[in-house]
Amino acid sequence: MRDYPIRTPQQLGAVLRGFRREQNLSQSAVGDRAGLAQNAVSLLENDPGPASLARIARLLAALDLELVVRPRKSPDRTAEW
């Protein structure tokens, strides 16, 4: 499976929507799996920025996805923290 680097909330929403559609699932079906209402899934796909990490994790689990955090591939980049 291919990796999808996420650097903005909008990119996360688009990737979540793409995986949901790839699995031929409606927002309601994914919401049922995640314990979320259909409108919550819609909000996460359209504007995940204000969503809690817990809610995003529930949606990821419902789509059988995982979140991976790793340094960017740029060798000259130093940690920002």
Side-chain angles (χ1 to χ4, degrees), residues 24-75:
N24 294 315
L25 295 170
S26 67
Q27 290 177 338
S28 294
V30 173
D32 289 344
R33 288 183 180 184
L36 300 170
Q38 176 276 324
N39 65 331
V41 175
S42 177
L43 286 170
L44 285 166
E45 289 182 356
N46 289 304
D47 187 17
S52 71
L53 185 54
R55 188 169 273 206
I56 292 169
R58 288 168 60 182
L59 187 58
L60 290 169
L63 292 169
D64 198 28
L65 300 172
E66 64 184 357
L67 179 65
V68 176
V69 177
R70 65 172 178 249
R72 291 184 186 181
K73 294 185 180 187
S74 174

